[in-house]
Amino acid sequence: MANNHQKIIFSGAQPTGSLTLGNYIGAIQNWKALEQDYQCLYSIVDLHSLTVRQNPKEFRETCTSFLIQYLACGLDPEKNIIFFQSHVPQHTELAWILNCHTYMGELNRMTQFKEKSQRHKDNINAGLYTYPALQAADILLYQTNTVPVGEDQKQHLELCRDIAMRFNQAHGETFVVPEHHIPKVGARIMSLQEPDKKMSKSDENLNGTIFLMDSEDVILKKMKRAVTDSENRVVYSDEQPGIKNLITIYSTVANISIDEVVARYDGKGYGAFKKELAEVIIEALRPFKEKYDNYKNNMDYVETVYKRGAERAREIAEGTMKDVRSKVGLLPR
Ligand code: ATP
Ligand code: LTN
């Protein structure tokens, strides 16, 4: 486990659909960079996905595929603790207690709740509403210092901090109050079809999202269809949100600066730019696809990874829960 000076990092993604280029650029790429210097916990937050109705058989497959996608992205299970949220029951136990320290007024303000209840009008359940308390439990259980996420999670993180401070004030120092870590470039990759909306794995318009699992042909096609404008100049400006988004993607995937991308395509039109961007993405994803197939053929190993991950996570989580139970006045077991 972490030595006393090693900072703790926690992050998670919901196993719905399949990982997108937005998830990779906004989150996973940064997770990988952190594994050298920190004790990192990365969870597949399967309980969060149950806020939307799932088909059990498909859901199990998606969860396994997510874990394999994490590993294929290069997350090292020796350095990081990688696990399924539902395998560590302390998450739901703490979530209940934190629910009792969260105000309805706070939950009412959450944009993700407002958006998701618009999208799933027939199933606006209590889980969707109290989702941020479970997310706060995920983070606070591990005495997390830093949470690397995309821009969209800032509001949930702020609420998590408020809950932690409130709890500490009421019961004495219990939780570390975490900071969020949002990347400077790429924190919000936009849909290729609607550049005013974030790229999302649950978008109904599949052309707006590049999935890490997409074939080369599909990536080329989606890139060709990406919405731009009539200027035909590769310029990074708010007036040209479509092309601005593509430049951001280029810069983060090829690991070169925005200025360098713009200079490289000075005087060239959108056609050449989009085609070469597709090639850059395809090249970057090649090792991902190879690793994915390898892990898929080695399910025994994959199972060991998540079982060991949950074991390590439970040990830390139980330490925090013992303190929490005692602080709120529950009798020792
Ligand atoms: P859903 O559509 O199911 O809400 P999502 O694609 O938004 O999913 P999440 O599982 O909610 O993805 O997020 C996983 C991580 O990826 C989070 O840290 C989130 O901030 C980040 N992320 C998601 N979409 C983007 C994006 N378009 N740009 C940058 N980061 C993103
Ligand atoms: N709500 C997040 C997923 C998530 C998460 C977390 C992220 C659940 N628990 C803890 C960071 C830390 C989302 O929708 N992206």
Side-chain angles (χ1 to χ4, degrees), residues 10-12 14 45 48 112 131 135 138-139 147 149 153 156:
F10 181 96
S11 200
Q14 295 188 67
V45 291
H48 276 106
Q112 188 167 309
Y131 176 118
Q135 179 164 352
D138 299 340
I139 297 165
V147 186
V149 279
Q153 291 304 309
H156 284 165

Side-chain angles (χ1 to χ4, degrees), residues 55 62 70 88 111-112 227-228:
N55 168 308
T62 306
Y70 271 21
V88 183
T111 20
Q112 188 167 309
V227 168
T228 42

Side-chain angles (χ1 to χ4, degrees), residues 152-302:
D152 61 315
Q153 291 304 309
K154 204 169 157 191
Q155 200 185 30
H156 284 165
L157 252 293
E158 271 155 17
L159 177 55
C160 172
R161 286 169 57 84
D162 289 343
I163 298 172
M165 286 189 273
R166 186 173 303 141
F167 191 101
N168 286 347
Q169 193 130 50
H171 306 284
E173 280 308 305
T174 309
F175 298 122
V176 168
V177 180
E179 308 279 340
H180 60 239
H181 171 85
I182 295 174
K184 288 195 180 69
V185 180
R188 198 170 164 79
I189 299 298
M190 310 311 275
S191 155
L192 301 183
Q193 289 298 313
E194 296 164 82
D196 56 338
K197 228 175 78 181
K198 83 163 186 145
M199 183 183 283
S200 156
K201 50 182 142 67
S202 50
D203 194 338
E204 273 154 32
N205 186 348
L206 293 180
N207 283 324
T209 304
I210 291 192
F211 295 97
L212 303 188
M213 304 286 286
D214 277 344
S215 70
E216 299 186 2
D217 283 356
V218 170
I219 294 177
L220 259 170
K221 223 178 277 164
K222 285 183 179 173
M223 206 37 85
K224 245 188 220 161
R225 287 193 192 147
V227 168
T228 42
D229 50 62
S230 53
E231 293 271 326
N232 208 23
R233 284 187 320 128
V234 181
V235 175
Y236 189 79
S237 103
D238 288 338
E239 259 99 86
Q240 292 166 247
I243 203 75
K244 181 180 175 196
N245 186 40
L246 298 186
I247 295 173
T248 306
I249 295 177
Y250 199 122
S251 149
T252 48
V253 175
N255 201 13
I256 59 175
S257 70
I258 299 272
D259 288 346
E260 228 173 314
V261 181
V262 173
R264 207 179 266 188
Y265 290 92
D266 185 28
K268 295 189 191 163
Y270 292 159
F273 174 65
K274 283 176 166 183
K275 185 164 169 289
E276 288 178 33
L277 172 53
E279 282 160 9
V280 165
I281 297 171
I282 289 167
E283 230 16 77
L285 290 182
R286 207 181 297 281
F288 168 83
K289 295 211 166 99
E290 278 163 21
K291 283 193 199 153
Y292 185 89
D293 292 338
N294 281 342
Y295 286 120
K296 191 99 199 157
N297 291 324
N298 197 351
M299 289 308 288
D300 286 349
Y301 172 73
V302 171

